[in-house]
Amino acid sequence: MQRQGFGGSAAIRFRTAGLVLLLLHLLLVGWLTLRPRDVLWVTAPNLEPFAGIGAALGSGPSEGLRYLGEGLLLLAPLGVLLPMAGGRLAVSSWGSLVRTVAAGALVSLGIELLQTGVPGRVVDVDSLLLNTLGVALAHAAVVPAARARLRRGGPRTRGGAVRPGRDAEREPLPGYEESQGPTPTISRVGIAP
């Protein structure tokens, strides 16, 4: 018996791909952010929101864009990979966004806290804010549209027919279950006195 919703071998492959990509991304992020740096001096930790962003923008437009871009893009893939690893189609868009952003914020917070023990790295609250915003933007830009497309049944033409060629030969999309007939009914039997 299949579970309702996103089931079958395609769903397993989809979730497995999401988990593998998520783990690879987290390993890359860990390698980028938790390596010790050989530096002559270290800046003080930034615990004042938007102070680092203001300082980077004050250093010039290229420095400001680099700082913002790095902060937004570092964890942005989590906005897509976390829902992909979860593999649910029938879920509230707002609920999914809140869960994904909360998970992204916790990952970012964990990275910032781990950086306190790494030589050459300091805590930056603006990194936490930018990383979380990047997760939210990536999720909002990709996930609702992808889920809607998968719920509709995947690639279709304007008339609603499956495109000829490869699409007609594919296995059913995740979450699609064929009808198993009408629901059986049980006749009522009177109760003896």
Side-chain angles (χ1 to χ4, degrees):
M1 180 172 166
Q2 277 188 342
R3 291 186 307 185
Q4 181 180 358
F6 196 46
S9 64
I12 292 170
R13 285 194 309 264
F14 192 74
R15 288 178 182 159
T16 303
L19 284 172
V20 168
L21 290 173
L22 179 63
L23 288 174
L24 289 174
H25 178 69
L26 289 176
L27 286 172
L28 175 67
V29 167
W31 182 75
L32 289 172
T33 58
L34 299 175
R35 295 183 296 166
R37 291 193 306 188
D38 294 330
V39 292
L40 297 176
W41 56 272
V42 178
T43 60
N46 174 23
L47 300 177
E48 182 183 337
F50 306 110
I53 296 171
L57 291 174
S59 298
S62 63
E63 178 67 24
L65 287 176
R66 185 188 66 78
Y67 183 81
L68 291 174
E70 286 176 359
L72 289 172
L73 295 177
L74 181 67
L75 294 181
L78 292 182
V80 177
L81 294 176
L82 287 171
M84 185 177 170
R88 292 188 287 169
L89 286 178
V91 67
S92 163
S93 295
W94 287 108
S96 175
L97 178 67
V98 168
R99 280 190 305 273
T100 304
V101 170
L106 288 174
V107 168
S108 182
L109 179 64
I111 289 169
E112 293 299 322
L113 292 176
L114 287 173
Q115 283 181 342
T116 60
V118 178
R121 302 282 182 170
V122 293
V123 175
D124 186 3
V125 71
D126 290 337
S127 293
L128 175 69
L129 296 173
L130 289 172
N131 292 339
T132 305
L133 180 61
V135 170
L137 291 174
H139 180 79
V142 175
V143 174
R147 279 189 175 141
R149 182 173 179 181
L150 286 172
R151 278 193 300 258
R152 275 196 317 267
R156 298 193 176 270
T157 61
R158 283 187 178 201
V162 174
R163 293 185 291 197
R166 286 181 28 184
D167 293 338
E169 299 168 3
R170 294 183 351 184
E171 66 181 75
L173 290 169
Y176 176 76
E177 294 181 7
E178 292 187 26
S179 173
Q180 297 178 359
T183 304
T185 58
I186 299 173
S187 59
R188 301 267 178 199
V189 177
I191 298 176

